[in-house]
């Protein structure tokens, strides 16, 4: 939680959190992710999730926090990385 908060608290930083291979997140994990999203929004940085599996999407929907996150597809992540590498 603390490391994630530190990452997103830098103004203007863009963090893409890869959930590939994650099939379950408990309430503590959801809390940490939601806090990271809130901090990044408050500091003018971006926090996005990618490679969110169906199990996690379902858990996010069941806990009513799905809309608290920006969720990227694998294609969107690849496109963003290619743009940054070209700069």
């Amino acid at each position: 939680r603390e490391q994630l908060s530190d990452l997103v608290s830098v103004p203007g930083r863009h963090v893409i959190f890869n959930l590939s291979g994650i099939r379950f997140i408990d309430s503590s994990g959801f809390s940490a992710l939601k806090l990271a999203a809130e901090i990044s929004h408050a500091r003018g940085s971006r926090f996005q999730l990618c490679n969110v599996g169906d199990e996690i999407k379902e858990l996010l929907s069941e806990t009513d926090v799905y809309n608290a996150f920006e969720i990227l597809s694998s294609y969107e992540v690849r496109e963003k990385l290619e743009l940054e590498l070209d700069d």
Side-chain angles (χ1 to χ4, degrees):
R1 178 187 298 248
E2 194 172 308
Q3 290 174 331
L4 189 54
S5 295
D6 289 346
L7 278 174
V8 298
S9 65
V10 177
R13 180 172 277 173
H14 187 178
V15 175
I16 300 174
F17 199 74
N18 185 356
L19 294 178
S20 177
I22 305 297
R23 297 175 60 178
F24 178 79
I25 299 175
D26 64 11
S27 60
S28 177
F30 280 128
S31 174
L33 292 176
K34 191 169 182 191
L35 179 63
E38 291 169 354
I39 291 171
S40 68
H41 181 73
R43 300 282 169 90
S45 58
R46 290 187 77 183
F47 178 71
Q48 298 174 305
L49 304 177
C50 73
N51 295 317
V52 180
D54 291 337
E55 296 95 344
I56 299 301
K57 283 181 184 177
E58 188 174 323
L59 288 170
L60 289 171
S61 293
E62 290 174 4
T63 57
D64 292 328
V65 295
Y66 188 84
N67 293 327
F69 302 105
E70 286 185 72
I71 299 176
L72 301 174
S73 69
S74 297
Y75 175 78
E76 290 171 310
V77 171
R78 187 172 41 250
E79 191 175 72
K80 286 181 182 297
L81 290 174
E82 288 173 0
L83 287 173
E84 289 191 18
L85 290 174
D86 287 342
D87 288 342

